[in-house]
Each structure stands twice: as structure tokens, then as C-alpha cells.
Amino acid sequence: MKGNTWLLLFSIACAISAKIYAEFWPGINQTLVVLGFFRKPEDLVNTAGEVVAIPDTRHCEDLHYHASSGLLFTACEDKAETRFGWFPPLANFDNPELALKSRGSIHVINAVTLESQRLEFENFNGPFLTHGIDVIDDIERPGGVYIFAVNHLPNLKSSQSEGSPKAKSQIELFYHVIGSPNIRHVRSILDPLITTPNDIFASSPTSFYVTNDHLYREHGLKRTIEELYERARWSTVINVRLGSLEDSVADATTGVYATVALRGLHNNNGLAHGRSPQEILISSPTSGMLHIGEVPLDAATSGGNITIIESMPFDSVVDNPSYFSDPFTQSSADDHSGFVLAGVTHAKDLAKNVRDPTAKDPVRVFFVKAAPRGADHPWEKHVMFEDDGSRIRSASAAVLVAIDPEAESKGGVSVKGTRKATLFVTGFWSSNVIAVKVDL
Ligand SMILES: *[C@@H]1O[C@H](CO)[C@@H](O)[C@H](O)[C@H]1NC(C)=O
Ligand SMILES: *[C@@H]1O[C@H](CO)[C@@H](O)[C@H](O)[C@H]1NC(C)=O
């Protein structure tokens, strides 16, 4: 070949490489940034402030604040052997026998006294492998709440037939009367569309949304691509409707009507209620995104699909979101409401640490408020809390509970005009839920 033919081929090769680079690199770079590949450990600052570790709250993945009772609800795995021996969300299926014998727990935590109370199951003896939950009021009987909880049961058939999934995850629906020491099991919910359930958004006792965080359940190239490549948008949100709750159902599949409510998000994971009954918050941890969407007012008649309105990027993992509604607002200038997002900063190490009860997984909690009118960006984001993993290992959920400015100033410490809240942070591998006082 002549010299100029080589030159032509070389130019074409360069153009193709540049095109591929321009096409793929920004997304790949963003993922590497979010997962912490470029972060040095010293980038993390321990936030000052006394951190209280709440006793008897081990490995509680999710956390919800129930404002009218002043209680936080959480589902805890309780034992390190179970969490490090069986955790389908991180593709750990080591010990199904142990999982079958394990029963996690639902706790309520008093947001003021910081006492945790383990609720006694009245009629539930099954294995309970905990993950995301949601809590909604019983509007027919004030004082009652429905609690939906993911349960990652092992699939007993997996030992028999090759290729069947190792987990047979389902949803448990419980009922609790605020102030009572007990929790009653209403029913189990199983459907072929619920495959890798992570978190729940309940619209009513008979209608809820659940995320499937992955398409691929086990370690391997496909799951790695699914996690690292932002355009591998293979996760789903499922809308589930239940027939009447009146009849006690023996079978978990009875009266369950499920449809796909949303496709096309990358690695959708945590769900939360937002600023209005219709607003749904959806996180995409490995791409560092918070999506704000809307559910229809009446899922039963409109099909229940979710519409995404806005997406907000972060430079590290954001797991279960929550919305803090400031109860002490006096004017829009004094409104401290916002989104709270917790996550691990070195997600690249999770696969390595999945069987290690002693490792540290550093955390970060973001707080996002509406920016003042006229600002360049609609949102103001800041890091509210950070830890290198020594006070809390891993973070998957955080909620804020406002401190009454009157009570605070009586202590004589508060400067007039400053507003404070208690920040609660929990993690799927944390030994305790922690509480720390923060400025809003
Ligand atoms: C990767 O992304 C980060 C954060 O968005 C940015 O600061 C950095 O310049 C990017 N690096 C490259 C090589 O594109
Ligand atoms: C709802 O969303 C799913 C998944 O994206 C889609 O297949 C279905 O057609 C949608 N249904 C309606 C009524 O828009």
C-alpha cells in the first residue's frame, strides 16, 4: 500500500477512536467518579459533632420517619453472620440454610429519647431477610400503620433445578398500632415481576411500587456491565395492586396484580415519598442520580405508570432518598425542607467487603434544598455528614428530624436564627443507627 493509503487508514482509525471516546468516556468517567475510583481516603472529613450510636439497631438498611408519632421505623438484620452470609442485593448467596433460620426485626426508634424498641411479631414465624421498607398510615383506623418490607428468602428449588434463581424474594405486609409493642403479619406478596426487590413506595394498603435494582442477579460480566455502564438501563419499577385485605390469604400470589410502571432508569434502587402525595423519589446509586417523578393519583384506573420530571446528579453514590418537610417554617425564606441522600463513597470496594464483617465503608450524606430565587441553579447541594467508616460503616438511608427552635434556644446554646435537626443515618452493614445534631 502507498503511504497515503496508510495515512488515510490511520486517520479513519483515529476518527473512530475519538468518536468512541467522545461517545462512551463521559459516562464511564462519571461512573468511576461516583464509585470512588479517584477518591483518596484523606478526601473524607469526619464531621464534628457528637455521634450517638443507638443500641440494638444492627444492619438496618432502611429508615422512615413517621412524623405524627415522632417515631422512626426500620428493618434490621440483627446478626452479622446472616448479613455477611446471605445478602442477595450484593449477590451474596453463600448460606441459604442459615438464611432459612434467620428472622430479622422491625424496630421503632423514638426520635427524641433515641430509644429503639424491637416490635414483637404476633403471628409471623417465617424467615425474614430484611432490606427496604415503607410505612403508611391506616386512614380508616387512626393510630394504625401498614408496614411493607422486602424479604429476601432463599429459593429452596435452586438446589434441585440448575439455573433457577437462588433467592425467592417477596414482600411482607405488617400492621402495627402506634404505641403497642406488637406487629401483626397481614400477608406475603409474591409475583414473577418482583425479582430483585430493593425498596418500596406504598400509595395505599393495597397499592405500592417496588424497585428491581438489577436484571442480572449473580456476579459476572453482565452484572458488572449493568452496574458500571450508565446506559445499561435494565432495572424496573413495578406497580403492585392487591385484592381485598379482608380475607386472610394463604398463598402469597393470591390477588396480586403487578405491572411494569417504569423502565429505562439505570440501577434504580431507593424509593421515597416527596413533596406531595404524587411525588416519588427514585435513586440510581451507581450513576449517582436522584430522579424526581410522579405517580398517578389513582393507580388502579390509570395503569400506575411513573413519569420522571427531573434528575439530579451527585459525585458519589446516593442510596435510599428521603424528603425532610420542615415543620417549623414561618416563611419561605426560613424553609429548611429538602432531600436527604445517604450513600457509600467507595462503592468500588463493596464487592471486596461483602464477606468481611470488619472492613470499613466510608459514607457521605447530602442535603439538597431549593436555591433562593434568582440563583444560577435551582438546587443547593451540600455534604451534611461524612465519616470514614469508623463511626458508621456503610450508609444506605438517612432522615432528618427537626429540633424545635424554641426548645433549642431555651438551652441557651442556639444563636437566634440558626436551625438544627437530628440526622439519623443507617447502613446495610452498620452496627448501629447513628444520630447526630446538625445545622439546617
Ligand atoms: C471525569 O469527571 C470528573 C467529574 O465530573 C471531571 O472533573 C473530570 O475532568 C473528568 N475526567 C476526564 C478525564 O474526563
Ligand atoms: C407503562 O410503562 C411500561 C414500561 O415502560 C410500558 O410497557 C407500558 O406500555 C406503559 N403503560 C401505559 C398505560 O402507558
Side-chain angles (χ1 to χ4, degrees), residues 326-395:
D326 184 358
F328 299 110
T329 301
Q330 307 213 316
S331 66
S332 62
D334 173 52
D335 188 347
H336 296 273
S337 302
F339 304 108
V340 188
L341 295 120
V344 290
T345 55
H346 290 64
K348 66 181 177 70
D349 297 332
L350 291 184
K352 189 180 77 196
N353 294 345
V354 72
R355 291 174 179 81
D356 183 355
T358 62
K360 285 181 178 179
D361 292 277
V363 315
R364 179 176 284 172
V365 179
F366 295 96
F367 185 52
V368 184
K369 276 197 284 198
R373 239 170 244 243
D376 294 346
H377 298 284
W379 301 105
E380 260 174 19
K381 287 180 215 164
H382 83 272
V383 174
M384 182 168 251
F385 178 79
E386 267 186 316
D387 191 59
D388 62 3
S390 45
R391 294 179 299 179
I392 181 155
R393 175 189 175 183
S394 83

Side-chain angles (χ1 to χ4, degrees), residues 21 25-26 29-30 33 38:
Y21 178 84
W25 174 250
N29 177 45
Q30 180 59 19
V33 168
F38 308 134

